[in-house]
Amino acid sequence: MGKFYNEALLPDELRRSYDVYDRIRELGIPLGSFDEDVVSLEGAGIAAAVVQESGLVYLSGTSAGTYPMNDDAARIEHGFQAAQDTADTLIRRLHWTLSCGGEGDLNDVLYTVKALGMVVSPGGGASGAAPAVTNGFSFRWHSVFGGPRSDYAEDGVDPGGFAGIHARSAMGGFDGKFSIEPEIIVAIPPALAREIITNRGWVFPLPPVMLDKVRAAR
């Protein structure tokens, strides 16, 4: 487990007993590289992630998919796969948010707090596809961090725990040239949050001066 995880206030019965990165490799989720993913905040309009001193990490949404959603089974499957792709993107982003300065990594994630899935679909009650589509995002989070709908679950129970299950809203009626845009909030140990903020600030990508600092320390 992560160096901060073992000191966190969690019931022993709900602690993960596996390395998150083993599952990430088995699931084929790419994590990129420092040079590709750890970049400057210069010129950015929004942050990709914000670390709050309490231990909450807010990840901005990312979009995927080609088609708007409706209640056709094939179209829902397209959206489900797109949602899974967005989960992979945010897991990759979270990895670098926690690890780029050497402070922690994904094994320090305590649990997942809240997700929001914004699905491109007709409004006015014409489609009820949003929850089924957003499941692609949520269930991928289960598979990595533990949850009842994980690829590793048996009879609805993941032997790795429940750190991936989360509160969620899934809403349709949005417009856009994609299928879904989810965002998510996770919890990390407050001690890790404070170390990240003290070392390189609360925002990812990094302010230019902090990017220079982190690069120099590698």
Side-chain angles (χ1 to χ4, degrees):
M1 292 298 100
K3 62 183 180 180
F4 291 94
Y5 184 87
N6 291 333
E7 299 176 2
L9 296 176
L10 293 173
D12 289 341
E13 295 86 348
L14 295 181
R15 289 184 179 274
R16 285 192 307 275
S17 59
Y18 64 91
D19 189 325
V20 166
Y21 291 95
D22 289 340
R23 287 195 175 187
I24 286 173
R25 282 188 289 271
E26 290 167 3
L27 294 166
I29 299 174
L31 293 179
S33 67
F34 181 93
D35 289 339
E36 183 180 3
D37 291 87
V38 183
V39 297
S40 173
L41 193 63
E42 182 177 359
I46 63 170
V50 172
V51 179
Q52 211 274 340
E53 188 176 352
S54 68
L56 293 180
V57 181
Y58 295 76
L59 297 173
S60 290
T62 190
S63 61
T66 305
Y67 306 112
M69 294 293 99
N70 56 41
D71 291 345
D72 176 74
R75 190 60 63 91
I76 290 174
E77 178 61 23
H78 173 85
F80 183 96
Q81 292 300 322
Q84 181 172 287
D85 291 343
T86 63
D88 291 355
T89 297
L90 293 189
I91 289 164
R92 173 175 175 166
R93 184 191 301 167
L94 181 60
H95 164 72
W96 291 109
T97 298
L98 300 181
S99 70
C100 71
E103 302 90 358
D105 61 28
L106 293 176
N107 280 315
D108 289 304
V109 172
L110 299 180
Y111 46 84
T112 314
V113 179
K114 175 70 165 65
L116 170 63
M118 295 165 282
V119 176
V120 177
S121 65
S127 172
V133 169
T134 308
N135 283 345
F137 179 81
S138 292
F139 296 172
R140 190 66 152 183
W141 222 264
H142 287 211
S143 291
V144 171
F145 294 103
R149 300 303 296 268
S150 159
D151 288 353
Y152 300 88
E154 298 179 4
D155 297 323
V157 177
D158 187 334
F162 297 88
I165 195 169
H166 44 269
R168 192 190 80 185
S169 298
M171 298 180 290
F174 292 90
D175 197 12
K177 295 183 178 180
F178 53 90
S179 301
I180 182 172
E181 180 172 336
E183 59 184 42
I184 200 160
I185 304 167
V186 304
I188 62 173
L192 172 56
R194 289 193 294 270
E195 184 164 321
I196 289 172
I197 293 168
T198 300
N199 184 39
R200 54 181 163 91
W202 58 90
V203 65
F204 185 87
L206 302 180
V209 65
M210 292 304 181
L211 179 58
D212 291 343
K213 177 182 178 181
V214 167
R215 283 174 172 167
R218 284 176 62 81

